[in-house]
Amino acid sequence: MTRSEGSVYKSMIDNLSALRAFVAVVESGSFSEAGYRLNVVPSTISKHVSTLEERISGQLLLRSTKHFSVTELGRRFYEMALTILHEVEAAEQELGAYQAEPQGKLRVTVPPAFASFHLAGLLEPFLARYPRITLELRITTEVLDLIDKSVDVAIRISGSLDPSLVAVKLAPNYRRIVASPDYLAKHGTPATPEDLAQHNCLLVSETASAAKWPIRSGDGVGYVAVSGNLIVTHGEMYRRAILAGIGIGYAAAYLVHDKIQTGELVELFPDRKPVLSHIWAVYIERRNLPLKTRAFIDHIRQAFREPPAWARE
């Protein structure tokens, strides 16, 4: 396509109504018939054609009192107009289908432990229901910028969120103080939270070998200083270390609830656990939320409508 033709092509795209009018005139052989096809008066059809001729500085039709003929330029213009209109029609059909059924790539970021212990079980029914969605899971502890990283939905565990994001609360993030029966048999069971200072407490901080664990105290929250000889930043490894009897852990309920139920872990001070954070699904506020994003949000919200056992106090 020459530079001149490219300019004409862009000019035509700018006025699709005029293009449709010109094509209808050529195909029907009549301004009145073209008007009937497009449900407009013949004078509007004539005006559209004249507008096109002015924009391209050329004559598309040779008019007489009763007839018209298509010029050589008009024939070439007609072929180009048909190509554009077919492309527009195909785009409209594709977008219509896209808006009628959730589809496309859906990017979701989620913390590793939550992905393994809870989200994994929700994926099969979601993908079975929406086979035209391709789910891309970005499993990371990093808090990604949703716009910069092109993320559609983020699962976040936090006590505070970016106010610019839309947040759907899924469940409270209870944390439980737990130990294996073997550890308690060897080292004794702490009678009060303050007794934790005399025990090996497994930590998750990357920067210190000591920490303060929050404990419910009356209507508020108190903190107990603890220390230990093992720092683990990976959720599954942290759980395994507790199960192995290395020390006492302060773990998310979704990590250890099943082991408490089987007796493989013992919960300490079950009536003293505070709620300092929640599990959220967050996304960017948009006027027209993509169907794929809406489908995922609705799916995960429904999954948490009845709180999981680990999310109950």
Side-chain angles (χ1 to χ4, degrees), residues 4-186:
S4 175
E5 288 175 336
S7 177
V8 170
Y9 194 87
K10 182 180 184 302
S11 175
M12 289 193 291
I13 291 176
D14 289 341
N15 197 337
L16 293 176
S17 296
L19 284 188
R20 292 189 175 99
F22 175 68
V23 167
V25 169
V26 173
E27 293 181 345
S28 67
S30 162
F31 281 83
S32 59
E33 178 62 25
Y36 178 77
R37 285 188 182 186
L38 300 178
N39 197 29
V40 297
V41 297
S43 60
T44 299
I45 299 294
S46 180
K47 185 177 180 180
H48 278 319
V49 174
S50 296
T51 298
L52 287 175
E53 290 179 325
E54 289 175 7
R55 296 194 68 170
I56 67 173
S57 301
Q59 193 168 16
L60 300 174
L61 303 174
L62 293 174
R63 302 171 179 82
S64 65
T65 304
K66 295 183 179 180
H67 304 285
F68 72 84
S69 61
V70 184
T71 66
E72 182 179 352
L73 176 63
R75 288 291 175 189
R76 180 159 181 76
F77 193 94
Y78 169 75
E79 293 172 0
M80 296 174 68
L82 273 185
T83 299
I84 290 174
L85 292 177
H86 287 159
E87 290 177 353
V88 169
E89 182 181 357
E92 289 175 340
Q93 291 176 348
E94 182 175 341
L95 290 175
Y98 193 87
Q99 288 300 98
E101 178 184 358
Q103 59 187 281
K105 180 173 286 188
L106 179 71
R107 297 176 176 89
V108 178
T109 179
V110 58
F114 189 79
S116 298
F117 285 91
H118 199 73
L119 187 63
L122 305 180
L123 300 184
E124 190 281 329
F126 175 75
L127 293 173
R129 183 175 182 181
Y130 302 108
R132 301 190 67 181
I133 289 179
T134 298
L135 184 60
E136 179 182 309
L137 283 183
R138 300 181 181 181
I139 300 175
T140 177
T141 57
E142 184 181 356
V143 178
L144 300 179
D145 183 294
L146 303 194
I147 296 177
D148 184 54
K149 299 300 183 181
S150 300
V151 173
D152 298 296
V153 182
I155 304 299
R156 290 188 176 162
I157 302 174
S158 177
S160 63
L161 295 169
D162 184 337
S164 68
L165 299 175
V166 180
V168 177
K169 186 186 292 185
L170 300 177
N173 180 41
Y174 288 117
R175 297 184 69 87
R176 302 178 186 274
I177 298 176
V178 292
S180 72
D182 285 346
Y183 175 88
L184 297 177
K186 292 178 182 176

Side-chain angles (χ1 to χ4, degrees), residues 146 163-166 283-289:
L146 303 194
S164 68
L165 299 175
V166 180
Y283 57 95
I284 301 166
E285 185 172 11
R286 298 179 185 175
R287 179 175 299 177
N288 296 307
L289 192 66

